[in-house]
Amino acid sequence: MTTNDTALTLSGRVVNWPGGPATLELRTSTAVLARGTVSETGDVNLVLPDASTMSSTLMQVDPSTFGNCTSTLVYSDLQARWRNFKGVGVYRNGTSLGSVGRGYGLTRFDQAKPGDYLVRWMYVDRPLNVVGTYSCAGHKETVDLRFKPGWNAYLQEYTTNYSASGGYYEIRTHSGSDATARWGFQSAQGAGQ
């Protein structure tokens, strides 16, 4: 996978692809921002949208969006605008099949182990650092993100065993390499990634 300013492409092979060609769509709730392909054998190719496409979709950083959670997050620039993507939609003949995303070790959230992680993608319009913690009823997240303008991949890494912790888990969200991640498919019916 490449996520930088000169080659904004997501690529690789989906390890559990059920077969057949499909279309990838990177979407907001109201618009398709980019289309790509999944080949018959699961090869992913998606060129991420450029700054002109992303500009109208960005939201201002808002520290108050955590609802009933407790937050100590500090943002280096409250004027920054961003948009987060967890995965990419998969469609065949206009019907949603599910989504593809990248991760390591994780096959189900309720079986997370320390070191398992998910890859997320963030687009920001200016340099932005986000550091601190937030805690909710089911989890605590420690955050150390260093975003450059444009596309950024970041990791949500599990630091506790979800099953052994009785449904409470801790996550470390941080900038870093996703070199050990693999592409996985999640069906619209919720079958494993």
Side-chain angles (χ1 to χ4, degrees):
M1 174 189 74
T2 304
T3 51
N4 61 48
D5 291 329
T6 57
L8 302 173
T9 303
L10 299 180
S11 61
R13 178 167 282 183
V14 179
V15 296
N16 63 336
W17 184 242
T23 301
L24 295 175
E25 292 186 358
L26 186 69
R27 296 177 166 223
T28 66
S29 60
T30 59
V32 175
L33 302 178
R35 283 193 174 89
T37 59
V38 181
S39 73
E40 176 79 32
T41 58
D43 292 315
V44 172
N45 187 13
L46 176 70
V47 177
L48 294 172
D50 62 16
S52 63
T53 300
M54 290 305 299
S55 181
S56 66
T57 73
L58 301 178
M59 299 173 289
Q60 185 120 11
V61 169
D62 182 2
S64 68
T65 59
F66 292 102
N68 293 327
C69 301
T70 303
S71 171
T72 66
L73 294 179
V74 176
Y75 300 82
S76 63
D77 186 345
L78 291 177
Q79 299 305 308
R81 297 183 317 131
W82 59 2
R83 180 158 294 269
N84 187 41
F85 295 92
K86 295 180 179 182
V88 180
V90 180
Y91 298 84
R92 186 175 290 142
N93 301 323
T95 301
S96 173
L97 300 179
S99 63
V100 294
R102 284 177 56 82
Y104 173 78
L106 188 68
T107 54
R108 289 179 29 179
F109 292 112
D110 62 352
Q111 296 176 353
K113 303 176 302 300
D116 290 355
Y117 68 84
L118 297 170
V119 179
R120 305 297 192 211
W121 296 278
M122 178 75 76
Y123 187 93
V124 296
D125 67 349
R126 59 179 78 188
L128 177 66
N129 297 332
V130 183
V131 179
T133 62
Y134 71 92
S135 298
C136 300
H139 76 280
K140 176 182 178 183
E141 194 159 341
T142 302
V143 179
D144 185 8
L145 295 169
R146 313 293 172 164
F147 295 134
K148 62 176 179 51
W151 285 100
N152 298 265
Y154 69 95
L155 312 180
Q156 287 187 310
E157 180 181 357
Y158 288 78
T159 58
T160 58
N161 183 308
Y162 183 90
S163 298
S165 66
Y168 183 86
Y169 56 98
E170 294 187 19
I171 298 174
R172 186 172 79 96
T173 300
H174 59 95
S175 302
S177 170
D178 67 349
T180 57
R182 62 183 171 81
W183 282 96
F185 173 68
Q186 174 86 31
S187 78
Q189 290 76 36
Q193 178 182 354

